[in-house]
Amino acid sequence: MPGGVAFPVPNLQATDFRSNFPKLQRAWHALSDPLTALFLPVNCRICHQPLEALTRVPVCPDCWLQVAGYEDRECAQCGMFLMGPAVLHGTSLCGFCRRGSFSFEQARSFGWYEGVLAGLIQRLKYDGMVPLAPPLAEYLCRAMQRLDERDWDMVLPVPLHRNREKNRGFNQAALLAETVSRQSGIPLGGRDCVRVKDTRPQTGLRSTERRRNVAGAFAVPDPGKIRGLKVLLVDDVLTTGATMNACAQALLTAGAGSVSALTLARARPGLRDVI
């Protein structure tokens, strides 16, 4: 794949997660359970072909092998995937970063939000397939190697508002951050940053609308707990960077030493007003 490289199928060992999901999430988990698969035919949730082996993660090896990470030129700060060096104008920064659009020091994403990677994120986020979180977090750990910082004090998920987290049953960013913390050894933060505004979904909003929508949406309940810390923020998809930036601003205003950002996928420019 141009601009990307395929990675081996990630480790799909079973992992324990929070058990307080709504009934619909528990019903979905039952359908994905290997014992249930003995009696019900199971297809890959991405390509819909029959699975040849029982697994807690109903995605076939062929689909996993199609997941490709980005390995081409990117903006030194926001990590924007670039089609060529022209937009840098002889610098290492894209136009947004030359204008000082972002508060975080650096951001990196594993790959484009498309194909199998987009499908996996959607199954985790909207279908409640939480066993996908550990293998997806392995991709985050690979993208983390492209960040200059190596000495973070805390891994922190971008928070959902309590109403949305209650309706969904979980925060996908928190599930990803748990595995990143466990694999990297960086302490995992909890409610060190919270979402205080139940904002409308960013889907369908243009860049300026997104920034306005999340302005003041985040707060730090106890600034003393994060003062001076180097924070690694984790989320699933970076579209325009508005949400990540608003969260970083709240942390820095509360006294964080620095904020870096890590996401699974980055939306192509043509999708930014859609997803």
Side-chain angles (χ1 to χ4, degrees):
M1 175 178 293
V5 58
F7 288 96
V9 178
N11 184 354
L12 304 183
Q13 291 182 345
T15 304
D16 291 331
F17 291 97
R18 301 182 183 90
S19 59
N20 59 337
F21 299 146
K23 293 181 180 179
L24 287 177
Q25 264 81 25
R26 289 199 296 268
W28 173 260
H29 297 166
L31 291 175
S32 301
D33 188 272
L35 292 177
T36 307
L38 291 173
F39 307 99
L40 296 175
V42 177
N43 293 335
C44 172
R45 299 297 191 243
I46 303 298
C47 69
H48 308 296
Q49 296 300 308
L51 292 173
E52 297 180 359
L54 300 179
T55 173
R56 289 196 69 213
V57 183
V59 177
C60 70
D62 287 343
C63 283
W64 282 113
L65 289 172
Q66 291 181 49
V67 178
Y70 183 81
E71 288 202 341
D72 209 335
R73 191 182 297 269
E74 59 192 355
C75 172
Q77 182 180 354
C78 75
M80 179 188 293
F81 298 162
L82 304 172
M83 298 297 100
V87 297
L88 297 176
H89 293 280
T91 74
S92 63
L93 301 177
C94 70
F96 295 107
C97 293
R98 291 198 300 273
R99 294 194 296 271
S101 299
F102 301 112
S103 298
F104 48 76
E105 287 200 355
Q106 277 192 316
R108 292 294 182 267
S109 303
F110 174 74
W112 287 113
Y113 184 74
E114 61 187 17
V116 174
L117 182 58
L120 293 168
I121 293 170
Q122 291 163 8
R123 299 292 81 75
L124 167 64
K125 189 172 182 177
Y126 302 118
D127 293 344
M129 289 180 59
V130 295
L132 280 171
L136 286 175
E138 290 185 24
Y139 298 137
L140 280 172
C141 291
R142 291 168 184 169
M144 186 167 59
Q145 301 306 309
R146 306 205 311 273
L147 287 164
D148 292 341
E149 179 62 63
R150 288 290 184 274
D151 191 26
W152 292 286
D153 300 302
M154 177 187 291
V155 177
L156 191 64
V158 172
L160 286 176
H161 189 271
R162 61 181 179 275
N163 292 340
R164 190 171 302 178
E165 185 167 351
K166 181 179 179 180
N167 290 335
R168 185 173 294 171
F170 61 95
N171 177 2
Q172 72 281 354
L175 297 180
L176 295 168
E178 286 175 11
T179 300
V180 170
S181 171
R182 186 167 55 251
Q183 292 194 9
S184 65
I186 305 168
L188 178 66
R191 294 184 60 80
D192 299 280
C193 184
V194 297
R195 198 158 187 153
V196 293
K197 288 173 59 179
D198 192 2
T199 57
R200 61 182 290 198
Q202 297 279 67
T203 303
L205 300 182
R206 297 189 179 276
S207 180
T208 55
E209 294 173 323
R210 288 171 184 261
R211 285 180 176 268
R212 196 159 46 240
N213 188 43
V214 295
F218 300 96
V220 176
D222 186 355
K225 293 179 63 177
I226 59 95
R227 187 167 292 120
L229 298 188
K230 299 176 182 178
V231 179
L232 178 62
L233 274 178
V234 170
D235 207 356
D236 54 350
V237 181
L238 193 149
T239 306
T240 64
T243 299
M244 190 71 78
N245 190 63
C247 191
Q249 285 178 336
L251 289 164
L252 292 169
T253 299
S258 67
V259 178
S260 302
L262 191 64
T263 62
L264 275 172
R266 180 178 287 269
R268 287 189 181 272
L271 288 177
R272 289 182 177 178
D273 299 327
V274 179
I275 68 169

